[in-house]
Amino acid sequence: GTIETKVPGLRFTELRPRQAAIADKFNILRSMQQGAGGHPAGSMQMLSGDSDTRDKPKPRLPDWMAVTNHLRSKAGGRSGPLPAYVGINPPLEYNGPAYLGDAYSPFTVSGDPSAPSFNVPNIGLTDAAELQRLDRRARLRRNLDNLERSFDRVGELAALDEFETRAMTLLTNPRAKEAFDLSREDDRLRDRYGRNSWGQQLLLARRLVEAGVDVLTTSLSGPLCGRVNNWDDHAVNHHVLDAMRFRAAAFDQAVSALVEDVYARGLDRRVLVVVTGEFGRTPKISYAVSTGGGNASAPAGTTQPGRDHWPRAYSNLWAGGGMRTGRVIGATDKRGEDVVERRCGPHDFLATIYHHLGIDTHTKLLDFNGRPTPIIENGRPIEELLG
């Protein structure tokens, strides 16, 4: 079934009542389309703009998060103890910095932020003896570096200095520890996001961007999805209808709380929130035999419904960014099979994010072979989503 939302004419599934109630605070883009039907290639198209439709074991192009981290690092002028780019259980299985190098990967936070034992190690050390040992090791490393400077032909040691400085700041600055400390949030707000991994991931995300992190990415995966720990609701994996019911409440609560919180704290002009997958699901239900029983899946051998990959038409949610909200952008045909209005692709998706970040979409970076490579090959910012 469907329910009305705060936006006249826009209807949601009854499984998303919280988002329906605040639909005036975000936009739904219904007309995304790309050409890759596999998870690796689809993810690379969406996050790096790689137009290759073949699945590859490693990305050829850096994702937009690493590109932003690289460009911000080169521009300098960053203040504060926090890294520019943080990933909370980030979606890095098929993406990464590619030719930019691992130095521009995220500072990764792993685990379940809702667990009582959750902590982020090696941040904001307070033990005096440990700090002294750390300082001695850093001085020893610098002394050894001085012996090798004459052999450094590509500036690697200078880069190492930069990254070591960031690491030392994280290790020794108490403000860094505070930013990652969810116990400082009001219990009622933690409850509003949901006392589960997704809710606390998004609360930590808001806390970190408010403290000065430029780019933050997180993946809503794991046990809250169902038996196979993801949204890949093929009939062999999940009973697609049961899977949506199983995960919907946590998803609805966490995303609506984040959107509301961003606006309540006056972050909506500076912070852009985007919720998306790499593609949609087939408009037609298919049936196959389950490969295993568990949450949202019938016992092995049971025929159950599912939906497969569908890159020809899908939606994403946009909030904040100074944009006018409460709109539906684009449309598909009556079957939900193909885009019929305001077709947008991955390069448009990326151009919109880069525009918000103040990054020139014509920027080129040097690849492994020293060739200037554009950060996106084509595409224009989606005007309806611009602040």
Side-chain angles (χ1 to χ4, degrees):
T2 64
I3 56 175
E4 293 183 349
T5 71
K6 195 75 175 290
V7 176
L10 173 64
R11 299 184 71 85
F12 279 178
T13 165
E14 80 279 14
L15 301 177
R16 291 169 61 186
R18 291 176 182 265
Q19 290 177 45
I22 62 161
D24 58 328
K25 287 184 165 59
F26 52 77
N27 292 321
I28 297 293
L29 176 65
R30 282 182 167 167
S31 52
M32 278 298 299
Q33 180 185 74
Q34 51 99 340
H39 292 295
S43 296
M44 292 174 197
Q45 286 216 9
M46 284 299 290
L47 297 184
S48 72
D50 188 343
S51 57
D52 191 352
T53 60
R54 299 169 298 174
D55 289 337
K56 298 187 287 289
K58 292 183 178 181
R60 177 178 66 89
L61 300 174
D63 57 43
W64 71 264
M65 300 89 79
V67 169
T68 302
N69 193 15
H70 171 81
L71 293 175
R72 293 283 174 90
S73 297
K74 294 300 180 185
R78 180 169 181 78
S79 60
L82 295 172
Y85 172 24
V86 174
I88 304 171
N89 297 319
L92 296 179
E93 185 176 4
Y94 307 120
N95 295 282
Y99 57 74
L100 293 179
D102 289 337
Y104 299 104
S105 294
F107 176 85
T108 298
V109 178
S110 302
D112 180 357
S114 69
S117 59
F118 175 78
N119 75 331
V120 181
N122 301 323
I123 290 182
L125 297 176
T126 56
D127 182 83
E130 188 64 30
L131 287 169
Q132 287 181 350
R133 283 194 294 271
L134 189 65
D135 181 61
R136 286 197 299 270
R137 290 170 183 169
R139 281 189 278 116
L140 176 61
R141 214 274 299 161
R142 287 193 294 270
N143 290 336
L144 291 172
D145 278 354
N146 290 333
L147 300 176
E148 301 176 6
R149 293 285 170 180
S150 60
F151 300 102
D152 182 16
R153 296 285 183 264
V154 292
E156 290 179 350
L157 291 176
L160 187 60
D161 285 346
E162 178 183 350
F163 301 127
E164 183 192 62
T165 299
R166 294 182 197 167
M168 288 290 289
T169 300
L170 270 176
L171 281 165
T172 59
N173 194 304
R175 283 178 52 208
K177 190 176 184 68
E178 290 176 8
F180 285 89
D181 187 0
L182 282 174
S183 69
R184 293 176 173 268
E185 292 289 340
D186 186 275
D187 281 341
R188 290 171 297 180
L189 186 62
R190 296 193 69 178
D191 293 342
R192 170 66 184 90
Y193 273 83
R195 294 285 187 152
N196 55 59
S197 58
W198 294 355
Q200 300 307 295
Q201 280 175 213
L202 296 193
L203 176 55
L204 181 57
R206 188 235 79 208
R207 187 172 176 81
L208 290 172
V209 295
E210 189 173 36
V213 171
D214 291 336
V215 173
L216 198 140
T217 182
T218 188
S219 177
L220 302 184
S221 57
L224 286 175
C225 285
R227 178 176 72 94
V228 298
N229 290 334
N230 58 43
W231 295 68
D232 202 19
D233 293 335
H234 303 288
V236 296
N237 290 339
H238 288 148
H239 183 300
V240 61
L241 305 179
D242 288 349
M244 294 306 292
R245 293 187 189 98
F246 181 80
R247 65 176 73 106
F251 174 77
D252 187 40
Q253 181 174 3
V255 172
S256 60
L258 174 64
V259 172
E260 283 190 309
D261 208 10
V262 163
Y263 281 89
R265 291 173 177 270
L267 299 172
D268 52 289
R269 298 196 67 81
R270 180 169 72 85
V271 177
L272 175 68
V273 177
V274 185
V275 184
T276 190
E278 71 272 49
F279 40 56
R281 312 302 294 191
T282 47
K284 291 182 67 176
I285 296 286
S286 60
Y287 291 84
V289 173
S290 169
T291 56
N295 288 327
S297 182
T302 306
T303 298
Q304 62 184 7
R307 295 173 70 194
D308 304 315
H309 303 175
W310 192 258
R312 281 161 50 181
Y314 56 107
S315 302
N316 35 51
L317 181 154
W318 301 71
M323 72 180 81
R324 184 162 66 88
T325 55
R327 292 186 291 174
V328 179
I329 301 156
T332 59
D333 59 28
K334 65 180 181 179
R335 298 178 184 272
E337 291 180 335
D338 290 293
V339 174
V340 296
E341 179 185 306
R342 193 62 171 98
R343 179 177 286 104
C344 298
H347 293 146
D348 305 313
F349 175 89
L350 294 171
T352 306
I353 294 175
Y354 282 135
H355 181 276
H356 171 74
L357 293 166
I359 293 173
D360 183 354
T361 56
H362 298 97
T363 300
K364 295 182 178 181
L365 302 173
L366 299 181
D367 67 9
F368 286 121
N369 298 310
R371 294 175 301 198
T373 303
I375 58 175
I376 55 171
E377 295 174 2
N378 51 61
R380 301 178 62 183
I382 302 166
E383 291 183 7
E384 298 91 328
L385 298 175
L386 303 184

